[in-house]
Amino acid sequence: MTEIADSGSAGDTPVAFQDPGYRAAVVDLLGAIAYGEISAFERLAEDAKLAPTLADKLALGKMAAVQFNHVEPLIARIAELGSEPMEAMAPFVKAFDAFHARTAPSNWLEGLIKAYVGDGLAADFYIEVAAFLDAETRTTVVTSLSDVGHSEFVVDRVRQAIVADHRVAGALALWGRRLMGEALSQAQRVAAERDSLAALLAGGVDRPGLDLAALGRMFSRLTENHANRMAELGLAS
Amino acid sequence: MTEIADSGSAGDTPVAFQDPGYRAAVVDLLGAIAYGEISAFERLAEDAKLAPTLADKLALGKMAAVQFNHVEPLIARIAELGSEPMEAMAPFVKAFDAFHARTAPSNWLEGLIKAYVGDGLAADFYIEVAAFLDAETRTTVVTSLSDVGHSEFVVDRVRQAIVADHRVAGALALWGRRLMGEALSQAQRVAAERDSLAALLAGGVDRPGLDLAALGRMFSRLTENHANRMAELGLAS
């Protein structure tokens, strides 16, 4: 993460906002994160129906409510930047909805893994991107990803299930790979359609960017973190 | 509400808890409210899918998250009283799930009215019952019903829909009556199965209760408030 930490200070000055492309990119990013949290909320609430016990349902419901509680500060920041929050979110509805439609869990464990792996991947990605943002926006983004703290619950439940029947591990490992594949595929589609986000990563006159090699290293980090999360669950990646 | 306010101070002393039936009734009541909030959360999150716009979806999602955020203090109070929260909620799962299954909204407006009328009715009922509780439990209950504040949003949307097409008003008025009927029917089933709640309303050695006439007046108040809410929406009751 050294590379990211070093470039992180570059966007601190309001100078960044003199570039109209920068403002547009920030609004896009916040819109994407906000709709991502709304759709994660909807999915977690839906997946809570699969819970085998009331305690499990409560735990997943809590994860859903936490996600939703993050939405308001993001929307407030979008408005502060002079954009209409609903318009800012609109371009990302299709990609997130497609991701969720293609990765609807067919059972409780799949739902848990999706919550854990999906949240983790999204958080890693947004934190990588946050390094290219001005300080205030960066704080908004990083705060919106905190206070999740459900990892232990998910890890515990998945490991218990594998102990109870080790044959589930194979199918769940495949599920983890599918989640990663679908997430990358939708992210790539969004990046191709929204020039602003690609431009954000590419840098600007006063902001350093990622060259192709650095972008490659970023994807390596994302993949590595994903593999670590799968391992934490007791699953191959 | 004078009748209720007068009897309200009777449960203030911890003496109430010397009656084992009282403790059981309080745990039952808190379990019912907690599961009611969880199931309302699930339903609101589900109904948010019917939202015609992203802003509407956000508003319903917020109502869902607010409901869920109320659950933890209720669960904490149940644990304080020495009971297991999941066990306390369990007896009420069937009735709430049946209520929601029988009143699944078939469109966005039905979902809005259900949220508004259902929350209002539940809140009225719990506040009536709270008057028979010790001070600390009463505070927990009343707090769990506050911070809703979505009425204006619902009223605004339903009224707009009636202005746009006044023919919807007839079907929505019938829907409101059905919600009230199903709620009363499930409440009656719960009261018949759980003696503790009926005993709570009937009073104890040191606690005044409701005689049949007073119970009748309580139901009149609930019905009247329901009619007022329907009128606020621009609907007959």
Side-chain angles (χ1 to χ4, degrees), chain B residues 102-150:
Chain B
R102 282 161 194 271
T103 58
S106 58
N107 59 50
W108 168 242
L109 289 174
E110 286 189 1
L112 282 187
I113 291 171
K114 180 175 168 182
Y116 182 72
V117 161
D119 281 9
L121 184 59
D124 280 352
F125 178 67
Y126 297 141
I127 286 170
E128 292 273 357
V129 176
F132 297 90
L133 302 175
D134 59 287
E136 199 175 339
T137 310
R138 191 191 313 142
T139 304
T140 308
V141 169
V142 172
T143 309
S144 82
L145 303 167
S146 66
D147 181 30
V148 183
H150 52 264

Side-chain angles (χ1 to χ4, degrees), chain A residues 14-150:
Chain A
V15 171
F17 283 106
Q18 287 172 14
D19 173 1
Y22 177 74
R23 186 181 294 265
V26 166
V27 167
D28 261 12
L29 180 69
L30 296 176
I33 299 177
Y35 189 74
E37 302 247 23
I38 293 173
S39 69
F41 157 79
E42 281 191 298
R43 283 320 167 135
L44 287 168
E46 171 91 16
D47 297 346
K49 287 183 200 159
L50 300 166
T53 71
L54 197 46
D56 287 328
K57 178 181 286 212
L58 194 67
L60 214 62
K62 189 175 167 54
M63 285 165 60
V66 165
Q67 294 269 10
F68 194 88
N69 292 337
H70 291 157
V71 173
E72 275 181 349
L74 293 166
I75 282 185
R77 180 75 181 146
I78 294 171
E80 245 176 53
L81 293 174
S83 290
E84 210 288 298
M86 302 306 140
E87 282 173 25
M89 289 192 272
F92 306 101
V93 169
K94 211 172 118 192
F96 280 105
D97 287 1
F99 171 75
H100 288 298
R102 282 161 193 269
T103 58
S106 59
N107 59 51
W108 168 242
L109 289 173
E110 286 189 0
L112 282 187
I113 291 171
K114 180 174 168 181
Y116 182 71
V117 161
D119 280 8
L121 185 60
D124 281 352
F125 178 68
Y126 297 141
I127 285 170
E128 292 272 355
V129 176
F132 298 90
L133 302 175
D134 61 286
E136 199 175 340
T137 310
R138 192 190 312 142
T139 304
T140 308
V141 168
V142 171
T143 308
S144 82
L145 303 167
S146 67
D147 183 30
V148 182
H150 52 263

